[in-house]
Every structure is written in C-alpha cells, then in structure tokens.
Amino acid sequence: MTATHTAHRSAAKQGWASGTMVFAAVMLMLAGVLDIFRGIMAIAEDDIFVTTRNYVFQFDLTSWGWIHLALGAIGVLVSLGLFRAATWARVAGVAIAGLVIIANFLSLPYYPVWSVVMIAFSGFVIWALCVVRRDDSFAAF
C-alpha cells in the first residue's frame, strides 16, 4: 500500500516540476519576444513611447531600445535551454529575468503600463525557476 502511495506522490512531484519548468520557459520566451519588439520600437523611435520630465532616471530612448532588444534575444535563447531543463538555463533565466525587471523599472517613464506588465512576467519566471528543486526537474524530463 505504501509503495503505491509513494509512486503516486513521486509522479505528482514530477508532473508539478515539469509543469513549472515549462511555465517558466514559455513565460521567459514570451517576455523575450515582447522585449525584442519593444526594443525595435524604441530603436525606430516610434511615437508610442511617452517621455516624462520629472523622472530620476533619464536615458536616451535608442539606448533603451538596444538594451531591451539584447535582453529579449538572450531571454529567448535561455528559454530554449529551459525546455531541455538545463541547469545553466535555470541560473541564466533567473539572471535575465532579474535584469529585465531592472531594465523595465528604469524605463518606466517611456511606457509605464507595459513596464509593470513585464516586471510581473519576469517575477513569475523567477518564482517558477526558483521553486522547483534540481532533482525534481531533472527527474521529470
């Protein structure tokens, strides 16, 4: 009776671990693709972006475009590694999501609502990558 219970519990853990890894990979890929588009819009100096005068951090919009484009491209590449449950991808995913949070916080005056949405996406990615134990995630794949 206990062997059945242990096997069911182990399968449930493996399913949960693989689900959170896939969730993190999809969210990071989505955030990366959207960051690529945001970077392209900023490089093209589209009229979508707003500029506020009284914000502490004031940077050139083209510079922010290149930063978002690079972070988005790296995020998409790391998310491909997350689909394979690579340890380097988990570490890099947390680092990239953290950098995306910082970049979106500093670019709040240019596109405030979308910056908050991207901060939330990246927060979910960090949570999903940090909550799964290493042995669970590798056993699932």
Side-chain angles (χ1 to χ4, degrees):
M1 196 72 163
T2 27
T4 307
H5 183 0
T6 317
H8 182 280
R9 185 174 174 194
S10 177
K13 274 186 173 182
Q14 288 177 354
W16 187 81
S18 65
T20 53
M21 288 294 286
V22 170
F23 171 77
V26 169
M27 290 294 284
L28 187 61
M29 183 172 282
L30 181 62
V33 167
L34 294 174
D35 228 13
I36 288 172
F37 288 144
R38 182 178 181 180
I40 291 170
M41 287 187 322
I43 292 169
E45 294 185 17
D46 202 357
D47 294 332
I48 292 177
F49 295 99
V50 179
T51 55
T52 55
R53 297 175 190 233
N54 297 327
Y55 193 69
V56 176
F57 306 106
Q58 294 180 359
F59 299 103
D60 183 34
L61 187 60
T62 306
S63 301
W64 279 120
W66 285 108
I67 290 170
H68 285 287
L69 185 67
L71 286 175
I74 293 170
V76 168
L77 293 175
V78 169
S79 70
L80 295 175
L82 285 174
F83 281 118
R84 301 179 64 82
T87 303
W88 67 266
R90 287 182 65 191
V91 172
V94 170
I96 290 299
L99 290 174
V100 167
I101 287 175
I102 292 169
N104 280 293
F105 175 75
L106 293 176
S107 65
L108 268 170
Y110 299 111
Y111 209 32
V113 175
W114 190 246
S115 293
V116 172
V117 169
M118 291 299 287
I119 288 170
F121 271 17
S122 300
F124 283 132
V125 168
I126 290 173
W127 170 81
L129 291 177
C130 290
V131 80
V132 177
R133 291 181 301 198
R134 184 173 188 263
D135 56 341
D136 287 344
S137 65
F138 287 128
F141 292 103

